Amino acid sequence: MLAKYANITLTKSDIGYYVLNNLDVLQRKATPAEVIEQIDKDRKNRIERKVHTDGKASSYDVQHINEQINYLELANLVIIDDKDVSINPNEMETVQMFADEYNSDPMFDCSAYNFDTVEGRKLFSQKWNEYFSTLSNVSDKFATSIQALSPTTEDKKEDKKKSTTGNKVELGDEGEEFIFEYEKKRVSAFNARLASKVIALGKQKGLGYDIQSVVAEPGDKAEYVKYIEVKSTKRVTAPDIDSTTWYDTLNITRNEFVAAQQHGDYYAVYRVYFTRDGVTVFVMNNIKKKYEDGKVEITPLTYRVDFSSKAVDSVLDTSIGG
């Protein structure tokens, strides 16, 4: 932000040398204003500084720098243009929050977890989700709207107007609508007569699925009912399905899990990713079987407590002091 005010375009090398590889900056002994002042001074004196370790290839120094900057891009907070890095103006509320808190301790201690093991990464992910869903009073500022994923150029304005998604409910609605339209086209292409059997049921509570469709594949089960639960999320880029370390997390309700158990092969979860490049959908059939085979993990995070008057020990007199 200070670089923008000073009319300075930061590069990956600038961020790497003056910030990510500068212990005084990382320990908050040097302020952001001092960093920008030094960058401006060096540029005026035509001094170019880069991280370099004697006896090591350049990749040794830049790998961790590029990874950190890539994380910022994946969080949709910056836009990278070749070597230049700038703030994503669509995410100014979140950027401003970080700017206001730059001199405070982190709200979550990432160093307490072991990222060298799958178990450690999963524990971190679980604790991170628990913290920002239950404790943090700023969690809403980490929500990225679908339109915020789009570059802020004139030719994108009309596309941005079409999408009003700004919260989880609207995101879910948009994901369900996308899959509903997809299923109608898929089923109609197989047999136009069956298209009317694709029904959007997301607004009906307690069913355990959002869309009722049909199998619509060659064979004697073509007209069998197919139950689809849609889970939508936003990412800057689509997941790499070929990656051996990638995994994702989604939440399902008790009704959804019961429906998955009841309908087996005919129940599917459609994971919808809205990204800068479009929409990617992963399909997981028969979650119940995958759970039994150890291909997915299902962890209860909340418990419903049903009680009657027999369990009540006392009733507070709330009129005290009134």
Side-chain angles (χ1 to χ4, degrees), residues 47-117:
I47 298 175
E48 183 178 359
R49 303 184 190 273
K50 293 184 177 181
V51 179
H52 175 68
T53 302
D54 291 337
K56 297 290 185 179
S58 59
S59 59
Y60 175 84
D61 295 307
V62 302
Q63 180 177 346
H64 75 283
I65 293 171
N66 287 333
E67 287 176 352
Q68 292 293 328
I69 295 174
N70 288 342
Y71 281 135
L72 290 174
E73 184 182 32
L74 288 172
N76 205 41
L77 297 178
V78 302
I79 296 174
I80 299 176
D81 182 8
D82 193 17
K83 296 181 180 180
D84 294 338
V85 183
S86 59
I87 289 175
N88 183 350
N90 291 326
E91 298 284 7
M92 281 309 300
E93 182 179 13
T94 303
V95 172
Q96 184 63 57
M97 183 195 72
F98 282 119
D100 292 341
E101 297 290 332
Y102 87 90
N103 202 31
S104 302
D105 289 334
M107 292 176 284
F108 187 90
D109 186 7
C110 297
S111 66
Y113 301 90
N114 181 9
F115 293 95
D116 293 332
T117 65

Side-chain angles (χ1 to χ4, degrees), residues 154-205:
E154 292 297 321
D155 59 325
K156 290 289 184 179
K157 283 186 177 180
E158 290 302 315
D159 291 336
K160 288 168 65 181
K161 290 178 182 177
K162 295 177 184 177
S163 176
T164 57
T165 301
N167 58 51
K168 291 181 179 179
V169 173
E170 291 170 344
L171 175 64
D173 289 347
E174 195 156 347
E176 290 172 24
E177 181 180 352
F178 181 89
I179 297 302
F180 176 64
E181 294 299 326
Y182 171 85
E183 278 295 297
K184 285 198 298 183
K185 292 177 182 178
R186 181 187 70 84
V187 172
S188 181
F190 177 80
N191 188 329
R193 176 180 59 85
L194 299 177
S196 62
K197 295 183 178 293
V198 181
I199 307 171
L201 299 168
K203 297 302 181 183
Q204 296 190 29
K205 304 299 182 182

Side-chain angles (χ1 to χ4, degrees), residues 75-318:
N76 205 41
L77 297 178
V78 302
I79 296 174
I80 299 176
D81 182 8
D82 193 17
K83 296 181 180 180
D84 294 338
V85 183
S86 59
I87 289 175
N88 183 350
N90 291 326
E91 298 284 7
M92 281 309 300
E93 182 179 13
T94 303
V95 172
Q96 184 63 57
M97 183 195 72
F98 282 119
D100 292 341
E101 297 290 332
Y102 87 90
N103 202 31
S104 302
D105 289 334
M107 292 176 284
F108 187 90
D109 186 7
C110 297
S111 66
Y113 301 90
N114 181 9
F115 293 95
D116 293 332
T117 65
V118 173
E119 292 75 16
R121 292 193 294 272
K122 287 183 178 180
L123 178 60
F124 163 79
S125 179
Q126 178 184 336
K127 294 300 181 181
W128 174 275
N129 289 333
E130 288 178 4
Y131 179 83
F132 280 105
S133 64
T134 59
L135 298 181
S136 174
N137 59 1
V138 295
S139 58
D140 59 322
K141 294 185 180 180
F142 288 91
T144 295
S145 63
I146 293 176
Q147 63 266 34
L149 292 172
S150 303
T152 54
T153 55
E154 292 297 321
D155 59 325
K156 290 289 184 179
K157 283 186 177 180
E158 290 302 315
D159 291 336
K160 288 168 65 181
K161 290 178 182 177
K162 295 177 184 177
S163 176
T164 57
T165 301
N167 58 51
K168 291 181 179 179
V169 173
E170 291 170 344
L171 175 64
D173 289 347
E174 195 156 347
E176 290 172 24
E177 181 180 352
F178 181 89
I179 297 302
F180 176 64
E181 294 299 326
Y182 171 85
E183 278 295 297
K184 285 198 298 183
K185 292 177 182 178
R186 181 187 70 84
V187 172
S188 181
F190 177 80
N191 188 329
R193 176 180 59 85
L194 299 177
S196 62
K197 295 183 178 293
V198 181
I199 307 171
L201 299 168
K203 297 302 181 183
Q204 296 190 29
K205 304 299 182 182
L207 291 179
Y209 51 89
D210 298 312
I211 297 169
Q212 181 177 302
S213 185
V214 289
V215 173
E217 294 176 358
D220 56 3
K221 298 180 181 179
E223 296 191 33
Y224 279 28
V225 177
K226 180 177 182 178
Y227 304 92
I228 300 173
E229 175 61 29
V230 182
K231 297 296 182 181
S232 304
T233 189
K234 301 177 293 292
R235 288 172 56 103
V236 174
T237 60
D240 180 4
I241 196 169
D242 295 322
S243 170
T244 57
T245 59
W246 172 84
Y247 71 92
D248 192 8
T249 299
L250 55 82
N251 296 321
I252 63 174
T253 66
R254 179 180 181 277
N255 286 336
E256 290 161 3
F257 190 48
V258 168
Q261 293 173 305
Q262 289 177 335
H263 302 301
D265 285 332
Y266 302 102
Y267 186 95
V269 175
Y270 281 40
R271 183 57 157 168
V272 181
Y273 300 93
F274 290 100
T275 72
R276 283 181 178 174
D277 297 326
V279 182
T280 298
V281 182
F282 289 172
V283 177
M284 292 182 287
N285 295 314
N286 201 338
I287 287 291
K288 173 181 177 291
K289 183 69 164 54
K290 285 185 169 61
Y291 174 57
E292 293 171 348
D293 293 342
K295 294 181 178 180
V296 300
E297 295 181 11
I298 299 179
T299 306
L301 294 178
T302 60
Y303 297 87
R304 188 181 74 178
V305 178
D306 298 319
F307 67 95
S308 67
S309 58
K310 296 178 181 178
V312 177
D313 297 306
S314 63
V315 180
L316 297 181
D317 181 3
T318 57

